[in-house]
């Protein structure tokens, strides 16, 4: 679990998570265990807002963990803790995939525990994917999302716990996992077990809807303040770029690539890029659009506070209802009613 | 000289001198002669989302 901690309260052994725009130009990694006082000092010198940083309080520091290959750079050169991200190798990814699969299908595990285990592992793999969006990584993500989809379909309690476990930070991959999770739950509610819908394929489409953001300039993506009009327009390239990545890497059916392409279209025709309206928008796109708006509203940004789920749903109903398919939105609200 | 056109969705500029190599549109193709189903290479918007700029 991530917790905001004042920099003066940071201690050696804590697992700290920093924003990429804070660490630009420094030798600090985005996430790491604090292992020496020099790191503490350097974190305090960062251009932080409110002098607080996120710490994952569940992560326990295990010094010199031998089989963790991604730490080799740190050991060889202690001055530059993981200066660049080293992608996980096939074996490490397989390990994550296996652990998700076994957790998702473990009947003995508590639903909330199961949901948390699956959520964090999927998140870990999605982080890798956004660092390195190759066909191979997309394939692995599909597999891991598949296990999550199976769990949502088979275990109502775990599905509900999954909605509660969603967390927020500033990263696209976290947002993707949240939107993916909510969309899969909504799709389950809408389609039940209708065999004409391939839920695993669709699920992958939901999780990968924002992949095209890797093609939006880093200076825009990581900008710490509100985007200006031109930057906002450049951000609008991401649905089509997601669609193109999935096409170029021959991943997903045409129907599920549509999710990426249509997740910013709106029912009243005011969306983008094709300004589609009403029935021109695929149900899968409509689902993703609703989950996407909800997650954006409930997320905290540097320039805005997070809304509670209730506030977000209220605003969506009172001020944005024309953007959504009414019946699908109604079903989305019901997801939170238990 | 043929005009440049700006995408109202994403600010991509179609420059006829460049064409759109990705979509096999050769350099020298005026905006008006782009195929009906041509899409903005950056955001996927249709031709009707473009405005003439010069």
């Amino acid at each position: 679990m991530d917790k905001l901690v004042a920099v003066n309260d940071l201690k050696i052994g804590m697992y700290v998570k920093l924003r990429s725009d804070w660490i630009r130009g420094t030798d600090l990694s985005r996430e790491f265990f604090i292992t020496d006082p020099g790191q503490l000092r350097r974190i305090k010198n960062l251009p932080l807002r409110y002098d607080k940083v996120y710490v994952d309080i569940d992560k326990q520091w295990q010094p010199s963990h031998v089989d963790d290959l991604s730490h080799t750079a740190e050991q060889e050169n202690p001055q530059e803790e993981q200066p660049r991200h080293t992608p996980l190798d096939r074996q490490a990814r397989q390990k994550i995939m296996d652990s998700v699969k076994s957790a998702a299908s473990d009947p003995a595990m508590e639903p909330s525990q199961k949901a948390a285990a699956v959520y964090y592992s999927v998140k870990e793999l999605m982080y890798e994917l956004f660092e390195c969006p190759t066909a191979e990584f997309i394939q692995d993500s599909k597999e891991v999302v598949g296990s999550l989809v199976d769990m949502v379909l088979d275990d109502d309690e775990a599905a509900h716990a999954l909605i509660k476990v969603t967390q927020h930070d500033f990263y696209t991959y976290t947002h993707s996992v949240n939107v993916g999770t909510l969309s899969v739950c909504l799709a389950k509610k809408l389609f039940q077990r209708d065999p004409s819908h391939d839920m695993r394929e669709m699920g992958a489409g939901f999780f990968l809807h924002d992949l095209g953001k890797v093609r939006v300039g880093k200076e825009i993506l990581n900008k710490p303040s509100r985007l200006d009009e031109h930057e906002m327009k450049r951000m609008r390239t991401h649905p089509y770029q997601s669609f193109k990545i999935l096409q170029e890497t021959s991943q997903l059916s045409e129907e599920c690539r549509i999710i990426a392409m249509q997740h910013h279209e709106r029912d009243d025709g005011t969306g983008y890029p094709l300004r589609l309206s009403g029935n021109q928008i695929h149900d899968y796109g409509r689902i993703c659009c609703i989950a996407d708006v909800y997650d954006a509203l409930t997320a905290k940004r540097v320039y805005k506070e997070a809304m509670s789920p209730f506030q977000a749903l209220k605003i969506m109903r009172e001020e944005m209802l024309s953007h959504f398919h009414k019946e699908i939105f109604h079903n989305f609200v019901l997801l939170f009613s238990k | 000289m043929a005009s440049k056109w700006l995408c109202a969705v994403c600010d991509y500029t179609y420059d006829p001198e460049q064409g759109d190599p990705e979509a096999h549109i050769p350099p020298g193709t005026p905006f008006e002669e782009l195929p009906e189903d041509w899409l903005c290479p950056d955001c996927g918007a249709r031709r009707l989302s473009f405005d003439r700029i010069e």
Side-chain angles (χ1 to χ4, degrees), chain A residues 229-234 236-241 244 248 261 272-276 280, chain B residues 6-13 22 39-46 48-51:
Chain A
E229 202 188 329
H230 173 71
E231 292 163 337
M232 206 107 88
K233 285 185 173 178
R234 294 312 292 163
R236 292 188 188 156
T237 59
H238 80 270
Y240 187 49
Q241 295 304 324
K244 287 216 275 197
E248 288 158 14
M261 185 68 176
Y272 64 88
L274 291 171
R275 302 184 191 176
L276 302 178
Q280 292 176 308
Chain B
L6 184 72
C7 176
V9 176
C10 76
D11 271 359
Y12 163 83
T13 305
E22 205 186 314
L39 297 178
C40 170
D42 281 3
C43 76
R46 282 186 279 237
L48 56 84
S49 296
F50 280 71
D51 298 308

Side-chain angles (χ1 to χ4, degrees), chain A residues 98-269:
Chain A
D98 291 344
S99 72
V100 173
K101 205 169 180 179
S102 60
S105 56
D106 184 352
M109 223 172 176
E110 281 285 304
S112 59
Q113 224 181 344
K114 200 192 254 194
V118 170
Y119 179 80
Y120 286 109
S121 300
V122 172
K123 202 167 129 173
E124 198 171 343
L125 216 59
M126 289 296 285
Y127 166 68
E128 293 297 325
L129 177 66
F130 273 86
E131 291 292 319
C132 185
T134 61
E136 198 191 344
F137 272 57
I138 294 176
Q139 189 62 44
D140 288 350
S141 313
K142 274 171 69 175
E143 205 178 312
V144 98
V145 167
S147 302
L148 179 141
V149 170
D150 290 347
M151 182 185 81
V152 167
L153 293 179
D154 294 341
D155 188 337
D156 286 344
E157 281 191 63
H160 198 72
L162 203 51
I163 294 179
K164 289 197 174 148
V165 86
T166 57
Q167 284 195 331
H168 291 105
D169 55 31
F170 301 95
Y171 302 120
T172 305
Y173 66 89
T174 306
H175 168 71
S176 297
V177 176
N178 294 347
V179 172
T181 302
L182 290 167
S183 298
V184 168
C185 293
L186 179 53
K188 176 191 178 188
K189 198 162 177 41
L190 294 170
F191 307 132
Q192 301 298 333
R193 286 179 177 275
D194 181 344
S196 63
H197 298 280
D198 182 340
M199 291 291 283
R200 282 176 141 247
E201 187 84 4
M202 195 197 307
F206 292 136
F207 278 77
L208 301 176
H209 74 285
D210 264 353
L211 195 52
K213 284 190 179 166
V214 299
R215 292 188 175 170
V216 176
K218 282 244 188 305
E219 69 288 356
I220 295 179
L221 213 53
N222 298 331
K223 190 178 172 189
S225 51
R226 204 180 272 276
L227 300 180
D228 66 30
E229 202 188 329
H230 173 71
E231 292 163 337
M232 206 107 88
K233 285 185 173 178
R234 294 312 292 163
M235 276 300 282
R236 292 188 188 156
T237 59
H238 80 270
Y240 187 49
Q241 295 304 324
S242 301
F243 177 82
K244 287 216 275 197
I245 292 174
L246 296 174
Q247 199 169 42
E248 288 158 14
T249 53
S250 309
Q251 298 291 330
L252 298 194
S253 63
E254 179 72 22
E255 198 178 25
C256 292
R257 283 180 209 147
I258 290 289
I259 293 172
M261 185 68 176
Q262 294 188 347
H263 76 277
H264 279 286
E265 299 288 358
R266 293 172 178 170
D267 201 70
D268 60 6

